[in-house]
Amino acid sequence: AQSVTQLDSQVPVFEEAPVELRCNYSSSVSVYLFWYVQYPNQGLQLLLKYLSGSTLVKGINGFEAEFNKSQTSFHLRKPSVHISDTAEYFCAVSASGGSYIPTFGRGTSLIVHP
Amino acid sequence: DTGVSQDPRHKITKRGQNVTFRCDPISEHNRLYWYRQTLGQGPEFLTYFQNEAQLEKSRLLSDRFSAERPKGSFSTLEIQRTEQGDSAMYLCASSVSDRYGYTFGSGTRLTVV
């Protein structure tokens, strides 16, 4: 079984500042890792995913994440945030090599102030 | 392709009533998933289908919950004898494979009064 911990429930930041949203996972097998974004009253939208290969993955809206196997982390970063990035962000992990359903973290609320 | 559609967007029901939600996935996606999301929490997996076969249903919250996907296209989630604790957002998602991530619908928000 796998689990996900999103270390911060809320991250306030000023517009144009950099941001990092932290995600740690636990699994006894190799994993796939995902970040999703959820805007108010909407479903989740896939931002980026790590399946294998390069540990730095780039996604939509200028976001990127780095897979660190030794730290069991998959932190999400953006060098300069916009007001429109204000949303809930979810990290998810699923076991690779089979039909394993992703487990989602509790989410991090990114609040971008002008 | 209009993405994953869920109907209704909002449902208010009295305790004890039955409710049914519908999900229309992306047509090329053979996998369909149901999740529940409560305030301040991440999505919680309920069940999923590959084509018309329901491959995992042990995580449905109780025997009051059931889901169908009769022809491998749209799916329905039914909650019988609703309770106030069933109030939540019910999300549907579809995919071609777990490794590619999911496309989510906008959800059905259920309020049980």
Side-chain angles (χ1 to χ4, degrees):
Chain A
Q2 63 263 16
S3 66
V4 179
T5 302
Q6 291 187 242
L7 297 162
D8 305 297
S9 60
Q10 210 172 75
V11 173
V13 64
F14 286 106
E15 194 173 20
E16 297 183 5
V19 71
E20 178 180 84
L21 307 183
R22 297 181 292 169
C23 172
N24 286 88
Y25 68 93
S26 172
S27 176
S28 57
V29 299
S30 296
V31 296
Y32 299 146
L33 293 156
F34 307 86
W35 276 99
Y36 287 83
V37 60
Q38 185 177 33
Y39 298 102
N41 299 313
Q42 295 187 26
L44 282 71
Q45 180 183 4
L46 182 66
L47 271 178
L48 49 77
K49 60 182 179 286
Y50 171 80
L51 304 179
S52 64
S54 173
T55 57
L56 183 65
V57 292
K58 295 188 182 297
I60 62 171
N61 301 341
F63 284 93
E64 62 181 32
E66 185 158 19
F67 170 59
N68 187 320
K69 188 174 181 180
S70 62
Q71 301 286 327
T72 60
S73 68
F74 190 55
H75 300 333
L76 181 71
R77 302 185 183 104
K78 186 169 183 178
S80 176
V81 295
H82 302 290
I83 296 286
S84 60
D85 293 322
T86 295
E88 196 80 16
Y89 291 80
F90 293 95
C91 181
V93 61
S94 67
S96 64
S99 297
Y100 295 103
I101 307 300
T103 299
F104 285 81
R106 295 180 64 174
T108 296
S109 179
L110 175 63
I111 302 169
V112 181
H113 297 287
Chain B
D1 186 356
T2 57
V4 178
S5 299
Q6 291 190 246
D7 184 68
R9 289 294 307 274
H10 303 276
K11 178 71 177 179
I12 300 174
T13 191
K14 292 183 178 179
R15 187 163 49 96
Q17 297 294 305
N18 299 342
V19 294
T20 300
F21 310 139
R22 177 180 170 123
C23 172
D24 287 88
I26 292 173
S27 56
E28 312 87 73
H29 290 182
N30 60 353
R31 294 185 177 212
L32 185 148
Y33 310 81
W34 284 100
Y35 281 81
R36 185 180 81 155
Q37 186 179 23
T38 54
L39 198 62
Q41 301 293 321
E44 176 187 11
F45 171 72
L46 296 178
T47 187
Y48 93 101
F49 295 84
Q50 182 160 318
N51 300 311
E52 64 273 14
Q54 191 174 11
L55 298 186
E56 173 61 67
K57 57 182 178 180
S58 65
R59 308 265 284 275
L60 285 167
L61 300 165
S62 78
D63 58 7
R64 297 184 296 107
F65 287 70
S66 63
E68 293 184 342
R69 192 183 185 195
K71 297 182 180 179
S73 56
F74 73 91
S75 175
T76 57
L77 177 69
E78 182 182 17
I79 309 174
Q80 296 183 327
R81 305 181 302 282
T82 52
E83 301 173 355
Q84 286 191 319
D86 297 332
S87 295
M89 176 78 87
Y90 290 85
L91 295 167
C92 176
S94 68
S95 76
V96 293
S97 167
D98 292 334
R99 61 185 278 132
Y100 294 114
Y102 297 172
T103 300
F104 280 85
S106 296
T108 293
R109 182 169 296 282
L110 172 67
T111 303
V112 182
V113 298

